[in-house]
Amino acid sequence: MFNINKIRQDFPALHQEVYGKPLIYFDNAATTQKPKAVIDVVNEMNSKTNGNIHRAFHYLGNLCTERYEAARETIRRYLNAAKKEEIIFTSGTTAGINMLAFSFGERYVHTGDEIIISEAEHHSNIVPWQLLCERKDASLKILPVHDDGRLAVEKLPELITSRTRLICVAQASNVLGIRNPVKEIIAIAHAHGVPVMIDGAQGAVHGGIDIQDVDGDFYVFSGHKLYGPTGTGVLYGKEKYLAELPPYQGGGEMIDTVSFERTTYAGLPLKFEAGTPNYTGAYGLKTAIDYLEQTGWDNIHQQETSLVNYAMQRLQEIDGVHVYGAAQPKTSLLAFGINGIHPSDIALLMDKTGIAVRAGHLCAQPLMRRFGVQGMLRFSFSFYNTKEEIDTAITALIKAKQLLA
Ligand code: PMP
């Protein structure tokens, strides 16, 4: 049974005041607060059970190695990946995309080739591909967005050419909250022999993906958005690709043999995990996924859907409010504007009443241009939020609007 009071007790950060007001945290798409189970396990590993992994002949090193590999198995299961070797730990979505852009680019992208991304991507899924295109004299092509926020997937077949090497799209938009039809996109791409990378930053936190079902070739996400520690993340890749890609970084653990003449590399996944990885964080991330599974994904979805629907209804009661991206299905966030008022001014006033919301370009300047605005306001909900918090935020929003009008 989902007991919101009990759930909220699991998150210490929710029980604090800012500027003398109880915190209302509606910036969950940026990062989520951590359950006590995650905080405790990370504390325990830092205060007691710390030993560097993989090369140890001692108890602590072995314990941390076991935990790190257990985390890999949990993530394999969470994504329904075929093999543990396909799960590469990274420091986050951005790190995973940059790693892929380098390694995939070195192996498969040449002068005149093309990469397709969408108009609704986060800067992290734009700039690494631009850098790759600059390095390789390749070009970036853009899948447009409809007025209601849907990707114009029907235009994808005509965008794909014999030079298309990779298509990179978000599982869900961090601005509009719309869940993209990734299975359909992948099917179109595969019909043309093109692999697809899914940016799962805003999808992993809403139940993840069945990567074999959608037949995704690469998938990236960040642990800190999935109630895990900062500095954690994953790059999933199909073994047939990862085995072919050159390493991104060189160093300890990613080698098989080293001599000054020639180095041979370790197999998967270690080939892509040079140096001491964030094994403490990885185990924290595993603990977060365990916690979410115990809470129940159905319960989480139900709570988050009821919050986002309620917020939509309350926002529409306010004069001059415009919610962007009407298309469904949505995750649990809403981006909106208020006629004649700068989003940052509202966010700053709300902050002073203890309410954390996001405002600005939301790391998606091309999408802001698409909608003809400089910025938006965003409320993003977690299952630990409540309708009472939404009511308080709406009252604060109305007051801020009156003050600024
Ligand atoms: N892609 C999307 C869709 C995101 O929402 C974010 C984070 N806002 C990122 C990429 C980048 O994630 P990180 O900063 O954790 O690397």
Side-chain angles (χ1 to χ4, degrees):
M1 281 299 286
F2 185 82
N3 177 338
I4 184 67
N5 294 326
K6 189 171 163 301
I7 292 287
R8 288 180 67 83
Q9 286 309 315
D10 292 337
F11 292 85
L14 300 180
H15 308 281
Q16 63 180 306
E17 294 191 341
V18 294
Y19 309 115
K21 300 277 176 1
L23 171 69
I24 293 179
Y25 186 75
F26 284 172
D27 196 17
N28 294 286
T31 193
T32 48
Q33 303 304 338
K34 314 305 166 201
K36 201 167 171 304
V38 172
I39 297 164
D40 287 350
V41 89
V42 169
N43 277 344
E44 186 247 348
M45 286 181 77
N46 281 326
S47 56
K48 222 170 127 190
T49 52
N50 178 44
N52 206 338
I53 61 164
H54 287 313
R55 50 201 131 191
F57 284 94
H58 56 75
Y59 176 82
L60 290 177
N62 288 334
L63 179 68
C64 288
T65 306
E66 275 167 27
R67 288 181 166 186
Y68 186 58
E69 293 306 323
R72 201 188 304 277
E73 171 54 23
T74 296
I75 288 153
R76 184 206 64 73
R77 191 173 40 75
Y78 186 53
L79 304 183
N80 190 31
K83 294 183 173 179
K84 251 176 79 166
E85 289 72 20
E86 296 176 324
I87 306 298
I88 313 290
F89 281 111
T90 67
S91 62
T93 305
T94 304
I97 297 176
N98 277 279
M99 180 188 277
L100 187 67
F102 177 83
S103 292
F104 187 91
E106 285 303 292
R107 175 72 179 77
Y108 292 111
V109 181
H110 305 286
T111 303
D113 284 345
E114 297 161 357
I115 306 284
I116 299 177
I117 62 172
S118 92
E119 199 176 11
E121 299 308 311
H122 186 280
H123 295 160
S124 288
N125 200 23
I126 302 174
V127 185
W129 304 115
Q130 283 176 323
L131 290 169
L132 166 63
C133 288
E134 273 171 32
R135 275 199 311 274
K136 296 286 179 172
D137 201 14
S139 58
L140 204 58
K141 292 172 87 176
I142 309 300
L143 181 68
V145 166
H146 288 296
D147 288 345
D148 66 358
R150 273 177 310 119
L151 297 185
V153 178
E154 71 283 358
K155 297 213 164 91
L156 187 56
E158 71 204 48
L159 269 185
I160 299 175
T161 71
S162 61
R163 303 309 302 263
T164 307
R165 294 290 165 260
L166 189 66
I167 298 174
C168 309
V169 290
Q171 187 181 4
S173 162
N174 65 304
V175 175
L176 307 173
I178 296 168
R179 294 174 192 261
N180 293 323
V182 292
K183 193 170 177 173
E184 185 188 341
I185 291 169
I186 292 166
I188 296 169
H190 285 182
H192 292 80
V194 178
V196 178
M197 187 216 79
I198 304 296
D199 171 355
Q202 299 295 337
V205 59
H206 296 292
I209 198 162
D210 182 333
I211 202 71
Q212 291 191 80
D213 176 55
V214 302
D215 202 19
D217 302 286
F218 301 99
Y219 185 81
V220 288
F221 71 90
S222 302
H224 71 94
K225 293 185 198 282
L226 188 55
Y227 305 89
T230 47
T232 62
V234 166
L235 163 66
Y236 158 87
K238 278 185 185 160
E239 188 182 29
K240 69 170 181 182
Y241 287 113
L242 291 183
E244 291 291 315
L245 301 187
Y248 176 52
Q249 292 185 317
E253 292 306 307
M254 54 72 76
I255 53 88
D256 181 21
T257 60
V258 177
S259 73
F260 290 125
E261 290 72 38
R262 182 164 180 263
T263 290
T264 56
Y265 306 127
L268 296 174
L270 298 186
K271 182 170 83 173
F272 292 104
E273 294 183 353
T276 299
N278 184 2
Y279 49 87
T280 305
Y283 198 63
L285 177 55
K286 173 197 166 21
T287 307
I289 294 172
D290 290 344
Y291 173 86
L292 294 164
E293 285 176 355
Q294 277 156 25
T295 304
W297 279 108
D298 286 347
N299 294 327
I300 290 171
H301 288 150
Q302 219 172 16
Q303 172 76 355
E304 290 180 348
T305 305
S306 94
L307 289 171
V308 78
N309 290 344
Y310 183 65
M312 177 71 111
Q313 175 205 320
R314 293 289 336 257
L315 278 174
Q316 281 170 342
E317 290 165 14
I318 306 172
D319 249 11
V321 166
H322 172 72
V323 178
Y324 294 97
Q328 294 286 341
K330 278 208 183 247
T331 59
S332 57
L333 64 83
L334 293 172
F336 58 96
I338 305 177
N339 288 345
I341 295 179
H342 203 286
S344 314
D345 292 340
I346 293 271
L348 286 170
L349 285 175
M350 290 186 75
D351 176 52
K352 293 291 176 287
T353 66
I355 304 165
V357 300
R358 196 68 154 199
H361 56 60
L362 309 180
C363 293
Q365 288 183 13
L367 191 61
M368 297 298 129
R369 253 169 246 130
R370 165 67 181 82
F371 284 102
V373 294
Q374 290 209 316
M376 298 178 185
L377 270 154
R378 184 181 71 189
F379 287 3
S380 57
F381 306 109
S382 160
F383 59 92
Y384 52 53
N385 292 126
T386 65
K387 287 187 178 165
E388 292 71 36
E389 288 182 315
I390 293 176
D391 287 335
T392 308
I394 294 289
T395 306
L397 179 66
I398 293 168
K399 264 198 198 143
K401 180 175 171 265
Q402 282 164 353
L403 209 73
L404 293 165

mmCIF file of all heavy atoms in Angstrom, residues 259-277:
data_model
loop_
_atom_site.group_PDB
_atom_site.id
_atom_site.type_symbol
_atom_site.label_atom_id
_atom_site.label_comp_id
_atom_site.label_asym_id
_atom_site.label_seq_id
_atom_site.Cartn_x
_atom_site.Cartn_y
_atom_site.Cartn_z
ATOM 1 N N SER A 259 52.539 -2.757 -22.543
ATOM 2 C CA SER A 259 53.993 -2.599 -22.699
ATOM 3 C C SER A 259 54.179 -1.282 -23.429
ATOM 4 O O SER A 259 53.200 -0.697 -23.922
ATOM 5 C CB SER A 259 54.580 -3.762 -23.508
ATOM 6 O OG SER A 259 54.212 -3.617 -24.863
ATOM 7 N N PHE A 260 55.400 -0.788 -23.473
ATOM 8 C CA PHE A 260 55.611 0.496 -24.151
ATOM 9 C C PHE A 260 55.369 0.385 -25.650
ATOM 10 O O PHE A 260 55.072 1.357 -26.308
ATOM 11 C CB PHE A 260 57.017 1.028 -23.856
ATOM 12 C CG PHE A 260 57.149 1.458 -22.423
ATOM 13 C CD1 PHE A 260 58.149 0.937 -21.614
ATOM 14 C CD2 PHE A 260 56.257 2.364 -21.875
ATOM 15 C CE1 PHE A 260 58.252 1.327 -20.295
ATOM 16 C CE2 PHE A 260 56.353 2.757 -20.557
ATOM 17 C CZ PHE A 260 57.347 2.236 -19.753
ATOM 18 N N GLU A 261 55.464 -0.830 -26.138
ATOM 19 C CA GLU A 261 55.250 -1.021 -27.574
ATOM 20 C C GLU A 261 53.765 -1.112 -27.905
ATOM 21 O O GLU A 261 53.300 -0.569 -28.895
ATOM 22 C CB GLU A 261 55.938 -2.302 -28.081
ATOM 23 C CG GLU A 261 57.459 -2.247 -28.107
ATOM 24 C CD GLU A 261 58.046 -2.285 -26.707
ATOM 25 O OE1 GLU A 261 57.500 -3.017 -25.859
ATOM 26 O OE2 GLU A 261 59.004 -1.534 -26.448
ATOM 27 N N ARG A 262 53.014 -1.802 -27.014
ATOM 28 C CA ARG A 262 51.626 -2.099 -27.392
ATOM 29 C C ARG A 262 50.794 -2.434 -26.161
ATOM 30 O O ARG A 262 51.256 -3.136 -25.258
ATOM 31 C CB ARG A 262 51.642 -3.309 -28.338
ATOM 32 C CG ARG A 262 50.276 -3.686 -28.851
ATOM 33 C CD ARG A 262 50.367 -4.593 -30.057
ATOM 34 N NE ARG A 262 49.003 -4.906 -30.499
ATOM 35 C CZ ARG A 262 48.370 -6.015 -30.161
ATOM 36 N NH1 ARG A 262 48.959 -6.917 -29.396
ATOM 37 N NH2 ARG A 262 47.132 -6.225 -30.582
ATOM 38 N N THR A 263 49.568 -1.926 -26.141
ATOM 39 C CA THR A 263 48.641 -2.241 -25.051
ATOM 40 C C THR A 263 47.441 -2.962 -25.632
ATOM 41 O O THR A 263 46.945 -2.594 -26.697
ATOM 42 C CB THR A 263 48.213 -0.940 -24.335
ATOM 43 O OG1 THR A 263 49.335 -0.440 -23.615
ATOM 44 C CG2 THR A 263 47.066 -1.162 -23.371
ATOM 45 N N THR A 264 47.000 -3.992 -24.940
ATOM 46 C CA THR A 264 45.746 -4.628 -25.341
ATOM 47 C C THR A 264 44.714 -4.346 -24.260
ATOM 48 O O THR A 264 45.057 -4.166 -23.088
ATOM 49 C CB THR A 264 45.913 -6.148 -25.538
ATOM 50 O OG1 THR A 264 46.423 -6.696 -24.328
ATOM 51 C CG2 THR A 264 46.838 -6.454 -26.698
ATOM 52 N N TYR A 265 43.459 -4.314 -24.670
ATOM 53 C CA TYR A 265 42.418 -3.846 -23.760
ATOM 54 C C TYR A 265 41.669 -4.991 -23.096
ATOM 55 O O TYR A 265 41.580 -6.107 -23.636
ATOM 56 C CB TYR A 265 41.425 -2.963 -24.515
ATOM 57 C CG TYR A 265 42.101 -1.834 -25.240
ATOM 58 C CD1 TYR A 265 41.891 -1.615 -26.594
ATOM 59 C CD2 TYR A 265 42.996 -0.998 -24.563
ATOM 60 C CE1 TYR A 265 42.538 -0.597 -27.258
ATOM 61 C CE2 TYR A 265 43.649 0.014 -25.224
ATOM 62 C CZ TYR A 265 43.426 0.216 -26.565
ATOM 63 O OH TYR A 265 44.079 1.217 -27.226
ATOM 64 N N ALA A 266 41.098 -4.645 -21.954
ATOM 65 C CA ALA A 266 40.233 -5.596 -21.249
ATOM 66 C C ALA A 266 38.956 -5.799 -22.068
ATOM 67 O O ALA A 266 38.627 -5.006 -22.948
ATOM 68 C CB ALA A 266 39.886 -5.044 -19.868
ATOM 69 N N GLY A 267 38.233 -6.847 -21.746
ATOM 70 C CA GLY A 267 36.942 -7.072 -22.405
ATOM 71 C C GLY A 267 35.884 -6.143 -21.828
ATOM 72 O O GLY A 267 36.170 -5.269 -20.998
ATOM 73 N N LEU A 268 34.654 -6.339 -22.268
ATOM 74 C CA LEU A 268 33.536 -5.529 -21.749
ATOM 75 C C LEU A 268 33.171 -6.028 -20.352
ATOM 76 O O LEU A 268 33.278 -7.212 -20.091
ATOM 77 C CB LEU A 268 32.326 -5.685 -22.669
ATOM 78 C CG LEU A 268 32.504 -5.152 -24.082
ATOM 79 C CD1 LEU A 268 31.284 -5.503 -24.934
ATOM 80 C CD2 LEU A 268 32.729 -3.648 -24.058
ATOM 81 N N PRO A 269 32.751 -5.136 -19.505
ATOM 82 C CA PRO A 269 32.554 -3.688 -19.663
ATOM 83 C C PRO A 269 33.793 -2.875 -19.297
ATOM 84 O O PRO A 269 33.807 -1.671 -19.455
ATOM 85 C CB PRO A 269 31.433 -3.404 -18.659
ATOM 86 C CG PRO A 269 31.700 -4.380 -17.546
ATOM 87 C CD PRO A 269 32.243 -5.625 -18.201
ATOM 88 N N LEU A 270 34.867 -3.577 -18.793
ATOM 89 C CA LEU A 270 35.980 -2.824 -18.188
ATOM 90 C C LEU A 270 36.721 -1.952 -19.202
ATOM 91 O O LEU A 270 37.302 -0.930 -18.827
ATOM 92 C CB LEU A 270 36.950 -3.778 -17.490
ATOM 93 C CG LEU A 270 36.335 -4.587 -16.330
ATOM 94 C CD1 LEU A 270 37.397 -5.392 -15.599
ATOM 95 C CD2 LEU A 270 35.605 -3.679 -15.343
ATOM 96 N N LYS A 271 36.653 -2.337 -20.477
ATOM 97 C CA LYS A 271 37.316 -1.530 -21.512
ATOM 98 C C LYS A 271 36.885 -0.064 -21.444
ATOM 99 O O LYS A 271 37.642 0.838 -21.809
ATOM 100 C CB LYS A 271 36.956 -2.120 -22.884
ATOM 101 C CG LYS A 271 37.596 -1.416 -24.060
ATOM 102 C CD LYS A 271 37.400 -2.182 -25.364
ATOM 103 C CE LYS A 271 36.049 -1.907 -25.994
ATOM 104 N NZ LYS A 271 35.924 -2.523 -27.337
ATOM 105 N N PHE A 272 35.664 0.161 -20.968
ATOM 106 C CA PHE A 272 35.137 1.538 -20.915
ATOM 107 C C PHE A 272 35.111 2.121 -19.493
ATOM 108 O O PHE A 272 34.476 3.131 -19.259
ATOM 109 C CB PHE A 272 33.725 1.578 -21.513
ATOM 110 C CG PHE A 272 33.727 1.324 -22.993
ATOM 111 C CD1 PHE A 272 33.326 0.101 -23.498
ATOM 112 C CD2 PHE A 272 34.172 2.293 -23.874
ATOM 113 C CE1 PHE A 272 33.345 -0.146 -24.857
ATOM 114 C CE2 PHE A 272 34.200 2.054 -25.240
ATOM 115 C CZ PHE A 272 33.787 0.836 -25.733
ATOM 116 N N GLU A 273 35.793 1.456 -18.559
ATOM 117 C CA GLU A 273 35.764 1.949 -17.173
ATOM 118 C C GLU A 273 37.180 2.158 -16.651
ATOM 119 O O GLU A 273 37.606 1.539 -15.668
ATOM 120 C CB GLU A 273 34.966 0.978 -16.289
ATOM 121 C CG GLU A 273 33.494 0.943 -16.664
ATOM 122 C CD GLU A 273 32.648 0.034 -15.769
ATOM 123 O OE1 GLU A 273 33.204 -0.686 -14.926
ATOM 124 O OE2 GLU A 273 31.415 0.060 -15.949
ATOM 125 N N ALA A 274 37.922 3.045 -17.321
ATOM 126 C CA ALA A 274 39.298 3.319 -16.907
ATOM 127 C C ALA A 274 39.333 3.989 -15.538
ATOM 128 O O ALA A 274 38.483 4.814 -15.221
ATOM 129 C CB ALA A 274 39.963 4.224 -17.942
ATOM 130 N N GLY A 275 40.310 3.627 -14.728
ATOM 131 C CA GLY A 275 40.500 4.278 -13.430
ATOM 132 C C GLY A 275 39.554 3.740 -12.378
ATOM 133 O O GLY A 275 38.740 2.858 -12.631
ATOM 134 N N THR A 276 39.670 4.297 -11.179
ATOM 135 C CA THR A 276 38.804 3.867 -10.079
ATOM 136 C C THR A 276 37.399 4.398 -10.315
ATOM 137 O O THR A 276 37.204 5.606 -10.387
ATOM 138 C CB THR A 276 39.339 4.398 -8.735
ATOM 139 O OG1 THR A 276 40.644 3.854 -8.528
ATOM 140 C CG2 THR A 276 38.421 4.004 -7.582
ATOM 141 N N PRO A 277 36.433 3.527 -10.476
ATOM 142 C CA PRO A 277 35.081 4.019 -10.727
ATOM 143 C C PRO A 277 34.386 4.417 -9.418
ATOM 144 O O PRO A 277 34.908 4.162 -8.327
ATOM 145 C CB PRO A 277 34.379 2.814 -11.355
ATOM 146 C CG PRO A 277 35.096 1.627 -10.809
ATOM 147 C CD PRO A 277 36.492 2.049 -10.445
#
